[in-house]
């Protein structure tokens, strides 16, 4: 059974940093593109970043370029999202998702940016 | 960026009714389109990918169609468990973009 479990969210002040993790199991993690998608409270879905199977290629939405870094550890079956210079508009539930079709999603981890 | 215009924003359907949700892309996305259902407080679930391919485990009353810039999701026979929000996604180009969503309720 595919499982994706996010962690690392919380309440953080503007300008601070946070690192999200997503532990994957139930599939051959290293064979799949992975992504982060976020959803602000009561809002729609927004793609954040994607990473290739080996981690050599990364893609970001413009509003997070230079502040967010997606990475993966295929030995640990774990996906990461380093978030720097947090802004209030980054407040959202962050989901990790499997493959180019986002076929499976984790339960999400809530990031709240507030002073 | 490719804009995804989804309609309607909300929909109320009777038990057994057939409904359709549309997504229009601002340019050709070559069938790189997926549909998701999100129930209240839950994570989204993939229903359809590549415009018309049914994800494993999804009931056959869900179907997708379309090409080019116009796509639709059909539910053939509304069931109570189909209530929720529905989103389309284009995976043709980065940034991947979602439609704004359709809230489906049982009348």
């Amino acid at each position: 059974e595919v499982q994706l479990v996010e962690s690392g969210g919380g309440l953080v002040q503007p300008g601070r940093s946070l690192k999200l993790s997503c532990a994957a199991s139930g599939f051959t993690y290293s064979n799949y593109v992975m992504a982060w998608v976020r959803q602000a409270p009561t809002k729609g879905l927004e793609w954040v970043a994607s990473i290739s199977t080996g981690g050599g290629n990364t893609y970001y939405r413009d509003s997070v370029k230079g502040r967010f870094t997606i990475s993966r550890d295929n030995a640990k079956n774990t996906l990461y999202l380093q978030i720097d210079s947090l802004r209030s508009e980054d407040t959202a539930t962050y989901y990790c998702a499997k493959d180019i079709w986002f076929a499976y999603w984790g339960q999400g981890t809530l990031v709240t940016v507030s002073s | 960026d490719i804009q995804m215009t989804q309609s309607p924003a909300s929909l109320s359907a009777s038990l057994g009714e057939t409904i359709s949700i549309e997504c229009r892309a601002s340019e050709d996305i070559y069938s790189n389109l997926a549909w998701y259902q999100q129930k209240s407080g839950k994570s989204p679930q993939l229903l359809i990918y590549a415009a018309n391919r049914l994800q494993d485990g999804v009931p056959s009353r869900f179907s997708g169609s379309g090409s080019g810039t116009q796509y639709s999701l059909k539910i053939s026979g509304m069931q109570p468990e189909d209530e929720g929000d529905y989103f389309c996604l284009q995976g043709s180009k980065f940034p991947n973009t979602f439609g704004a969503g359709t809230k489906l309720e049982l009348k």
Side-chain angles (χ1 to χ4, degrees):
Chain A
E1 179 194 4
V2 172
Q3 282 203 318
L4 298 170
V5 180
E6 301 94 338
S7 60
L11 174 62
V12 62
Q13 292 179 327
R16 303 297 289 265
S17 298
L18 209 57
K19 187 169 187 176
L20 308 183
S21 299
C22 170
S25 61
F27 63 103
T28 306
Y29 175 73
S30 59
N31 286 356
Y32 291 92
V33 168
M34 296 295 294
W36 288 97
V37 178
R38 68 185 178 184
Q39 187 170 34
T42 71
K43 299 293 186 184
L45 298 166
E46 184 174 78
W47 171 80
V48 173
S50 292
I51 188 167
S52 60
T53 54
N57 293 300
T58 56
Y59 310 87
Y60 300 92
R61 67 180 303 103
D62 282 350
S63 62
V64 308
K65 279 180 187 174
R67 299 190 300 122
F68 288 22
T69 303
I70 188 172
S71 62
R72 65 191 297 162
D73 185 333
N74 285 345
K76 294 183 177 178
N77 289 355
T78 303
L79 178 71
Y80 302 101
L81 186 68
Q82 175 70 41
I83 308 176
D84 298 324
S85 304
L86 275 156
R87 303 169 180 170
S88 58
E89 55 264 36
D90 296 322
T91 293
T93 295
Y94 285 74
Y95 298 98
C96 65
K98 170 183 173 284
D99 76 38
I100 61 169
W101 293 115
F102 307 163
Y104 293 90
W105 301 57
Q107 84 288 351
T109 187
L110 178 62
V111 173
T112 304
V113 184
S114 175
S115 53
Chain B
D1 298 0
I2 297 176
Q3 307 303 315
M4 300 301 295
T5 303
Q6 186 172 341
S7 61
S10 63
L11 190 51
S12 183
S14 302
L15 193 65
E17 185 178 347
T18 293
I19 67 98
S20 286
I21 298 170
E22 312 288 327
C23 263
R24 184 180 77 250
S26 58
E27 63 184 78
D28 195 328
I29 58 171
Y30 305 98
S31 297
N32 288 296
L33 184 105
W35 292 97
Y36 303 86
Q37 176 195 65
Q38 185 177 30
K39 296 186 180 181
S40 181
K42 301 293 187 181
S43 306
Q45 288 197 310
L46 177 66
L47 301 172
I48 301 287
Y49 64 98
N52 58 18
R53 295 193 169 192
L54 191 68
Q55 171 69 348
D56 289 347
V58 174
S60 58
R61 64 179 178 275
F62 291 92
S63 63
S65 63
S67 63
T69 62
Q70 294 279 142
Y71 299 86
S72 63
L73 172 71
K74 185 166 76 172
I75 305 175
S76 300
M78 174 74 180
Q79 298 298 307
E81 60 267 30
D82 298 337
E83 281 195 318
D85 295 325
Y86 291 79
F87 297 91
C88 63
L89 165 78
Q90 71 78 16
S92 179
K93 284 183 183 177
F94 289 119
N96 293 160
T97 44
F98 289 90
T102 295
K103 179 175 286 295
L104 176 61
E105 295 178 331
L106 184 64
K107 198 182 292 181

